[in-house]
Amino acid sequence: MAYLKFELSAFSLMNLPTREQSGVLIVSVSGRVDHLASEEFSLAIEPILQNCRQGALPVLLDFSGVEYISSAGLRVLMLASRRAKAERGVFAVAALQPLVQEVFAISRFNLIMPCYVSIEAACKVLGS
Amino acid sequence: MKKVVFWGTRGSLPVSLNSRDVREKIVAALSAANGKSFRTPEALNDFVNKLPFSIAGTFGGQSSCVEIVHKGPEHVICDMGSGARVMGQDKIARFGVPNPQTYHIFISHLHWDHLMGFPYFQPMYIPGNRIVIHGCHRELEDAIHQQMSNPNFPVDYSQAGARIEFDIMEPGRTVFVAGLNVTPKRQLHSGDSFGYRFESVDRTVVYSTDSEHRLDDLESHRGFVDFFAKADLVIFDAMYSLAEAVSVKADWGHSSNVVGVELCHAASARRLALFHHEPVHDDKQLGRLLTETRRLEQITRGDNPPLEIYSAYDGLIIEL
Ligand SMILES: [Zn+2]
Ligand SMILES: [Zn+2]
C-alpha cells in the first residue's frame, strides 16, 4: 500500500487512499472530478488498473466523497472499466451521492458501469 | 436576429409517426380526460393545452433545416434536410410567385440528411430567386449537382430556375452575410462538418450539429467554449446518451445532452436547443430526455447563470 501511495504522489496531485475490506480493494475518490481533474484522476487510477485483472482483488471506487463528475471524468471511468473487463478483472463504483447518482442515470452510465448503493452491498457481491 | 424557426430536427434519416403511435396518443389523451365532457371548444382546447407534449404533440421527423430570422429581406438558413421542403412551401405561400427572394443557405456538411431537401425546395425552380449556398467543403457544388442528376433524381440540376451561387468559406474566417457576421468552425465528424456562429449587433446564435466532442482534448473543449461564448442560443447535436457517445458509438461523429449542457455552462450561453434527434427515439423518449437535461442543468449549474433548455421539434420557434 505504501508503495502504491508513493507511485500516486509521483504521478499526480490527486490522492486516492486505498484499503482492503472483505477481499475487495477499496479506492476512495473525493472532490470534484471535472474536466481539469479528470486527467489527474486518469493518472491516479493507472497504477490501480495495472493490477486489476483476473485473480487479483476486485477494485471498488468509493464515490461517497465525490460531489461532482463531468463527462470527461465519466469517460475515464468507462475506459477503466473497459480495460479491467479486457483483463477479466472486476471494477465497480459504489456509494454515489444522490446528485452524482442522478448524473450517472442521465448520462446512462448506470447502464455501462457496475454501480452499488453502498460499499457493504458491493463487498457482499464482489468480496470473498 | 429576431427568432429561430426549426423546420427539421431529426438526425440521420427522416421518420414519421405510424398508426400505432397515433393510436397510443389518442388512448393516452382519452385516459387523461377520464370521461370528462367539454361544454365549449375553449374548454376542450384548455384541456389539450395541459396535456404533455408527447401526447398532444410530436417532435416531428424531418431532417435538419433551421431558419434564422433577421431583420433584413434576405433569408438565412442552416442545412437543407427534408425540412427544407416544408420551409419552401411556407415561403411560396408567404411571398407568392413571382416575388424574387434571396436565400443564404449554410451547409454543415454533405451527408445525405443535410442535403436531401434541396431538390424539394420549391423556390429553387422559380426564376428571379437567388440562392447562395455557403459552406466549407470544396466539393459542395459537386455534391449538390450529383444529388440532382441521373440516376439519383428525375430533375436535373440544370432545370433550376433560380440563380444559384456557391461561396466556399474558410473555418475561423468571419464573413458578413445578410446583415450578420458568420464564422464557421471545423467539427469532428466523418468527412468533417462545420458549425456556424451568427452574430448581429445584439444577438448570437450558434448552429453546431453532427459534431463529436473528444472529452480528453482540453484544447478542443476550450475552442468550443469560445465558439459558444455568451450565445443567446446554441443548437447542439445531442443524438446519443453520453454513455453511448464515449463507448459503443465513439467515433460515430455525434454528441450528447450532457456535453451540450457542460459546454453551454462553460460558455455562459443563455439557451441550449437539443437537436439532430436519434431516429429510434419516440416522442416519449425525447420528452424524457428533455426533462432529464433540464434536471442535469439544474444540478450541475453551480455559480453559472441558468441555462434555458429546449428540445427542438419541427415547427418550434424560439424568440431571441
Ligand atoms: Zn446528420
Ligand atoms: Zn453527418
Side-chain angles (χ1 to χ4, degrees):
Chain A
M1 230 43 78
Y3 170 75
L4 194 63
K5 271 191 184 144
F6 171 73
E7 282 283 300
L8 285 179
S9 56
F11 274 107
S12 140
L13 300 167
M14 190 180 262
N15 185 33
L16 300 180
T18 59
R19 66 179 195 273
E20 207 188 306
Q21 180 181 325
S22 321
V24 177
L25 182 68
I26 297 168
V27 182
S28 300
V29 188
S30 58
R32 293 175 57 83
V33 189
D34 58 13
H35 270 60
L36 278 174
S38 66
E39 208 178 321
E40 284 179 31
F41 179 44
S42 168
L43 290 172
I45 59 168
E46 174 62 30
I48 295 159
L49 281 175
Q50 281 173 8
N51 292 312
C52 184
R53 58 169 71 93
Q54 190 169 27
L57 291 184
V59 173
L60 181 66
L61 300 190
D62 176 355
F63 253 51
S64 58
V66 173
E67 297 148 27
Y68 170 82
I69 185 161
S70 75
S71 58
L74 286 166
R75 179 178 169 276
V76 171
L77 284 184
M78 186 278 297
L79 292 176
S81 157
R82 181 183 278 178
R83 208 169 119 191
K85 209 179 272 174
E87 297 291 330
R88 293 168 184 261
V90 175
F91 183 87
V93 188
L96 307 183
Q97 291 186 14
L99 293 184
V100 173
Q101 169 94 57
E102 276 195 75
V103 173
F104 267 66
I106 292 169
S107 62
R108 307 287 182 263
F109 261 71
N110 57 341
L111 303 179
I112 62 168
M113 281 282 307
C115 302
Y116 295 90
V117 281
S118 65
I119 302 297
E120 290 65 36
C123 286
K124 254 183 214 155
V125 180
L126 308 175
S128 48
Chain B
M1 280 176 281
K2 291 180 188 153
K3 58 186 177 181
V4 170
V5 184
F6 292 87
W7 296 99
T9 56
R10 191 63 62 155
S12 303
L13 189 75
V15 295
S16 158
L17 294 176
N18 59 27
S19 53
R20 202 194 58 209
D21 301 325
V22 173
R23 195 188 164 86
E24 220 174 79
K25 285 175 194 284
I26 293 172
V27 169
L30 291 176
S31 305
N34 193 24
K36 222 174 272 171
S37 61
F38 304 96
R39 287 176 197 286
T40 62
E42 290 74 32
L44 177 57
N45 261 316
D46 277 354
F47 170 76
V48 173
N49 287 340
K50 282 182 192 128
L51 287 172
F53 181 73
S54 63
I55 297 176
T58 180
F59 282 85
Q62 304 289 359
S63 73
S64 305
C65 182
V66 176
E67 181 182 9
I68 293 169
V69 181
H70 189 41
K71 57 184 176 211
E74 301 183 321
H75 307 276
V76 176
I77 293 144
C78 296
D79 279 338
M80 286 300 248
S82 68
R85 180 187 59 79
V86 193
M87 177 182 66
Q89 285 174 328
D90 180 82
K91 297 299 175 205
I92 300 289
R94 201 172 290 207
F95 299 103
V97 178
N99 181 353
Q101 302 289 313
T102 295
Y103 297 92
H104 289 280
I105 299 168
F106 293 84
I107 300 290
S108 63
H109 64 311
L110 309 178
H111 285 163
W112 200 21
D113 55 317
H114 297 259
L115 293 184
M116 57 166 53
F118 195 61
Y120 296 90
F121 180 60
Q122 272 187 37
M124 81 162 290
Y125 297 100
I126 298 166
N129 282 335
R130 175 175 171 240
I131 297 175
V132 188
I133 305 180
H134 307 263
C136 299
H137 292 82
R138 317 247 145 240
E139 316 84 354
L140 180 61
E141 188 166 353
D142 282 349
I144 302 254
H145 282 219
Q146 262 178 40
Q147 180 176 242
M148 295 187 69
S149 63
N150 196 26
N152 296 323
F153 198 70
V155 184
D156 193 79
Y157 178 78
S158 60
Q159 302 296 305
R163 195 173 96 211
I164 301 177
E165 300 161 28
F166 289 87
D167 168 37
I168 303 298
M169 301 171 76
E170 291 295 329
R173 246 179 72 189
T174 305
V175 293
F176 191 66
V177 177
L180 297 171
N181 276 316
V182 189
T183 314
K185 176 171 175 55
R186 190 185 304 275
Q187 305 177 134
L188 185 62
H189 194 70
S190 164
D192 287 342
S193 76
F194 296 87
Y196 296 95
R197 181 180 169 100
F198 298 88
E199 291 168 294
S200 66
V201 180
D202 57 350
R203 292 284 183 272
T204 300
V205 170
V206 178
Y207 179 74
S208 176
T209 193
D210 295 65
S211 173
E212 182 165 356
H213 294 269
R214 283 273 156 78
L215 305 177
D216 51 341
D217 187 342
L218 269 176
E219 198 183 324
S220 151
H221 175 83
R222 286 190 194 109
F224 276 95
V225 171
D226 287 346
F227 191 54
F228 293 177
K230 301 217 155 56
D232 295 281
L233 173 65
V234 174
I235 300 161
F236 190 84
D237 172 355
M239 192 168 179
Y240 303 145
S241 68
L242 177 66
E244 288 174 313
V246 299
S247 60
V248 282
K249 292 176 182 174
D251 303 321
W252 286 25
H254 297 286
S255 190
S256 65
N257 57 346
V258 176
V259 172
V261 168
E262 284 178 355
L263 286 171
C264 285
H265 273 160
S268 301
R270 277 181 62 201
R271 300 183 190 89
L272 162 66
L274 309 176
F275 186 74
H276 205 270
H277 304 305
E278 166 68 70
V280 303
H281 285 168
D282 63 17
D283 288 322
K284 260 190 274 176
Q285 285 166 298
L286 291 175
R288 187 176 136 211
L289 275 174
L290 174 59
T291 307
E292 289 178 331
T293 311
R294 286 181 172 153
R295 175 67 184 154
L296 179 78
E297 192 281 324
Q298 193 187 20
I299 63 178
T300 59
R301 187 185 299 154
D303 299 330
N304 292 295
L307 168 69
E308 215 177 314
I309 314 268
Y310 294 81
S311 185
Y313 59 85
D314 298 3
L316 171 67
I317 298 172
I318 297 181
E319 303 281 344
L320 294 170

